[in-house]
Amino acid sequence: MHNGSVMRIRKTGKKTSSAEQLPARISKTDYYLDIAQKVASRSTCLRRNYGAVIVNNDQIIATGYNGAPRGTRNCIDLGVCYREALGVKRGERYELCRGIHAEQNAIIHASRFEMMGGTLYVVGVDHGTAKLVDGAECCRMCKRAIVNSGITRVVIRDGVRGVLEYLVADWVRDNLGELERKGGKLVPRMVSGY
């Protein structure tokens, strides 16, 4: 017989009354970052597995993960990362990498009209340790693509700094962070990334 109280079933199958505390609902930011982290599990990179999700008006527009171009052999299939084999440092010599970055793959799979004003969520996981990447940041090439896509905000889950939010307009104002003043001269700034 129904006495007017609300009953809920948890995954355990145990019935709980509405007076009992249920787990808190996660934020939309964590929701989309969790999806990006799951997308990263499709990555074919032997160094770092990144996932990206483009969202606009609370709708997922596209997802992407880092890996070799379609129809070509992936690093996990080859069993070698050329940059790793050559001792290339993180954030350098991308032309040696076989992969397309997660951000680029997501952008490729969406129309600019859909991305205009949207948010890009990015998560990186170290392939060897399965831990979040420390110092995660979009590389210069991805920043350029993001600026041209019309995306206005980027949210990154970082292993040390937590959740970081960037406004693309700030990247444009700061010339994509590519230059810095040293000794009175503008010189290229080396950034971290993949």
Side-chain angles (χ1 to χ4, degrees), residues 12-155:
T12 61
K14 175 186 169 191
K15 290 184 179 183
T16 62
S17 72
S18 59
E20 289 184 54
Q21 188 69 18
L22 293 176
R25 186 174 182 200
I26 66 170
S27 69
K28 285 188 180 181
T29 296
D30 282 332
Y31 171 70
Y32 292 124
L33 286 170
D34 288 351
I35 293 170
Q37 192 162 339
K38 193 62 164 178
V39 171
S41 67
R42 289 282 305 148
S43 170
T44 60
C45 179
L46 291 170
R47 283 181 132 180
R48 289 171 194 84
N49 307 131
Y50 274 84
V53 177
I54 299 171
V55 177
N56 201 350
N57 293 321
D58 220 13
Q59 291 254 331
I60 295 175
I61 304 302
T63 64
Y65 54 87
N66 57 320
R70 290 177 195 246
T72 65
R73 294 183 65 197
N74 294 301
C75 295
I76 58 171
D77 299 328
L78 294 171
V80 64
C81 168
Y82 296 140
R83 291 176 66 224
E84 192 79 27
L86 294 170
V88 176
K89 293 178 185 175
R90 178 178 170 189
E92 297 178 10
R93 305 288 317 268
Y94 287 121
E95 73 276 10
L96 299 176
C97 181
R98 297 181 48 75
I100 306 285
H101 289 181
E103 302 95 321
Q104 295 168 344
N105 264 327
I107 289 168
I108 288 167
H109 291 96
S111 74
R112 188 168 193 273
F113 178 78
E114 292 175 306
M115 293 184 285
M116 293 292 293
T119 300
L120 176 67
Y121 295 87
V122 181
V123 177
V125 178
D126 184 275
H127 184 77
T129 66
K131 293 181 180 179
L132 290 174
V133 172
D134 298 341
E137 182 178 344
C138 297
C139 75
R140 290 178 182 174
M141 295 181 307
C142 287
K143 284 181 178 180
R144 293 174 190 146
I146 292 164
V147 167
N148 277 0
S149 74
I151 290 169
T152 57
R153 189 170 73 111
V154 177
V155 179

Side-chain angles (χ1 to χ4, degrees), residues 172-185:
V172 173
R173 185 194 68 230
D174 297 337
N175 201 40
L176 299 176
E178 292 180 348
L179 302 173
E180 63 184 347
R181 195 163 293 282
K182 283 189 179 178
K185 293 182 178 181

